[in-house]
Amino acid sequence: MSDKPIYVTQPFLPPLEEFTGYLEQIWKNKTLTNGGPFHQQLEKALCDYLGVEHIALFNNGTIALITALQALEIKGEVITTPYSFVATAHSLLWNGIEPIFVDVDPNTLNLDPLKIEAAITPKTSAIMPVHCYGHPCDVDAIQEIAERHNLKVIYDAAHAFGVQCDCGSVLKHGDLSVLSFHATKVFNTFEGGAIVCPDAETKHYIDQLKNFGFVDEVTVDIAGINGKMSEINAAFGLVQLKHIDAALEERKKVDLQYRSLLKDIKGIRCLEGSGEKFSNYSYFPILVEEEYPITRDELYKKLKDNGIFARRYFYPLISEFPMYKDLHSSVPSNLLVASDAAKKVLCLPIYPGLMSEDQERVVAVLRSPFSR
Ligand code: T4K
């Protein structure tokens, strides 16, 4: 069996020749950034592909999250999940907002709508759920709570590129949805991100915020930031987009193959996901339950010793990091489901181009503790 390293993900790279034409164009027209032609084209192409009306591109998902909070003037407290990448809560801290962590649903590992209301206080101004692993949150329940309490909803949709729900794109829900186009994501622009906006006016304001607050050459009327995506990133996105359907199809195959290979391994639970229609197969999380012969961390190490670099997304919980651990909502008794999942989860390698043999190699290691 091959011993080449297998990473949790590998960026999807279209043929280099397809990119060079775009590079020549950039060299020719000398527009490198600040809303150039490829930037405009990518915004339009992404709206078409994702089935949304307005997108503002960003240089990464974290700056996009920070800007989304600025755009809606969110203050005070925001209800969010501890079971996410640390950027979710960091975007709140960077805006001087206190994250209020609420536990997750045991089936989806997304924010549990049944637990949101008890965490609302007079200081609460918004809810920031995450479509974790690309599995849609319970958007209707969250919207209903938000309306009842007059709260904004900003979805961290970093994992949810192309994800659908019953009524079309999941990105249409909430006041704003924020995407990441980091190299490790389903669709990438090396680094990048975007805010999906409900109307042209909001997009216009967000475009101003991501360009230092400039209204025109000599007028700045808000304290903006530099969140702009460069032409080179936008051009790469345009090339990627041509291959995205094929890439998603390959991911789906990998997902189905794991589900079939893992189904009789005692103590390994595949997270259900959201079914064929609603998934982008961005991650393949398994939960290592008590019946499995070794612990999650022992399995993680065993895989590593065999050159397989699975990842414990999302361990530790955000609420365990030093800047969050003393918040009253961070007490483990408040986050029992999330704490349990963080101890058990392991994301297995999944990406277009992962070979069937590679998956068999991963699964052979998962089976090995039974033959001791
Ligand atoms: N919200 C959520 C829910 C998020 O998950 C994220 C990012 C954000 C917000 C913020 O969005 P951005 O500001 O990043 O746009 C990665 C990514 O850096 C991060 O984007 C992502 N979430 C997070 C879940 O994962 P690491 O530290 O695990 O990445 P790294 O460098 O260890 O890469 C993992 C594997 O991928 C490597 O073992 C090999 C492979 N890889 C990685 C890179 C960067 C490659 O083959 N090529 C590459 O260029 O954080």
Side-chain angles (χ1 to χ4, degrees):
M1 227 177 222
S2 148
D3 60 354
K4 75 168 171 39
I6 305 178
Y7 298 103
V8 67
T9 188
Q10 289 274 268
F12 168 67
L13 291 171
L16 188 56
E17 316 78 78
E18 289 187 26
F19 191 41
T20 47
Y22 286 84
L23 289 178
E24 281 163 14
Q25 198 58 45
I26 292 173
W27 257 244
K28 205 156 103 198
N29 68 27
K30 295 189 170 55
T31 301
L32 308 187
T33 186
N34 287 5
F38 291 139
H39 183 283
Q40 312 285 350
Q41 280 177 41
L42 183 61
E43 283 192 342
K44 164 106 190 33
L46 283 174
C47 282
D48 291 347
Y49 183 81
L50 296 171
V52 299
E53 294 201 358
H54 305 278
I55 278 187
L57 292 176
F58 273 79
N59 48 6
N60 63 61
T62 307
I63 295 288
L65 280 171
I66 290 171
T67 309
L69 291 160
Q70 285 277 321
L72 299 178
E73 298 182 6
I74 305 298
K75 304 215 162 41
E77 297 176 356
V78 169
I79 290 171
T80 190
T81 166
Y83 192 84
S84 180
F85 189 59
V86 72
T88 309
H90 278 0
S91 71
L92 298 170
L93 278 201
W94 273 66
N95 278 292
I97 297 163
E98 180 177 344
I100 303 295
F101 297 114
V102 162
D103 210 355
V104 296
D105 175 286
N107 295 315
T108 61
L109 303 183
N110 286 331
L111 201 54
D112 187 344
L114 295 175
K115 299 195 177 134
I116 292 176
E117 276 191 293
I120 295 174
T121 75
K123 290 192 202 155
T124 312
S125 55
I127 309 172
M128 186 187 266
V130 178
H131 301 298
C132 194
Y133 308 130
H135 303 158
C137 291
D138 187 343
V139 287
D140 295 334
I142 291 170
Q143 189 59 34
E144 201 259 315
I145 296 166
E147 279 170 20
R148 199 141 25 90
H149 295 272
N150 197 20
L151 304 176
K152 301 280 189 204
V153 182
I154 298 172
Y155 279 104
D156 180 337
H159 303 171
F161 185 90
V163 171
Q164 302 286 307
C165 59
D166 279 324
C167 51
S169 171
V170 81
L171 304 171
K172 285 181 174 171
H173 289 275
D175 294 276
L176 296 171
S177 280
V178 177
L179 288 158
S180 164
F181 302 151
H182 181 260
T184 53
K185 298 295 190 294
V186 163
F187 169 82
N188 90 81
T189 56
F190 285 39
E191 290 273 2
I195 303 182
V196 178
C197 314
D199 51 57
E201 198 188 334
T202 309
K203 173 178 157 48
H204 184 75
Y205 184 59
I206 285 173
D207 282 343
Q208 191 192 338
L209 272 174
K210 79 174 188 197
N211 187 29
F212 314 98
F214 274 108
V215 177
D216 60 37
E217 233 177 273
V218 291
T219 318
V220 175
D221 67 0
I222 34 170
I225 198 162
N226 183 355
K228 292 172 277 106
M229 178 184 276
S230 84
E231 283 293 274
I232 215 153
N233 300 96
F236 186 75
L238 285 166
V239 182
Q240 268 278 302
L241 205 52
K242 294 184 185 159
H243 299 271
I244 190 71
D245 286 332
L248 290 172
E249 204 45 49
E250 281 201 47
R251 284 180 173 276
K252 179 175 165 183
K253 265 198 221 139
V254 174
D255 180 293
L256 293 177
Q257 161 112 336
Y258 271 138
R259 284 181 197 279
S260 141
L261 292 172
L262 296 172
K263 68 174 181 298
D264 62 341
I265 305 187
K266 203 164 165 235
I268 296 294
R269 176 159 79 90
C270 299
L271 207 66
E272 258 324 297
S274 34
E276 209 171 291
K277 189 171 153 210
F278 302 141
S279 194
N280 65 1
Y281 311 97
S282 49
Y283 294 84
F284 196 88
I286 57 166
L287 298 172
V288 182
E289 304 284 4
E290 267 111 42
E291 314 86 84
Y292 192 70
I294 59 175
T295 65
R296 185 274 312 269
D297 287 341
E298 286 165 343
L299 175 58
Y300 166 79
K301 181 164 181 307
K302 201 179 237 309
L303 285 162
K304 208 173 190 174
D305 292 345
N306 283 276
I308 298 160
F309 299 92
R311 293 294 289 266
R312 289 163 290 187
Y313 299 131
F314 288 102
Y315 161 84
L317 291 180
I318 302 179
S319 49
E320 290 169 24
F321 287 117
M323 61 298 286
Y324 301 107
K325 72 177 179 20
D326 295 329
L327 296 175
H328 69 91
S329 64
S330 293
V331 290
S333 57
N334 185 42
L335 306 168
L336 291 176
V337 179
S339 305
D340 185 58
K343 281 186 210 123
K344 293 177 173 171
V345 74
L346 204 53
C347 285
L348 299 184
I350 183 166
Y351 51 88
L354 183 72
M355 309 301 284
S356 196
E357 308 84 270
D358 296 334
Q359 285 190 268
E360 279 160 19
R361 217 178 108 194
V362 173
V363 174
V365 176
L366 263 73
R367 283 191 188 284
S368 63
F370 289 95
S371 52
R372 285 189 301 180

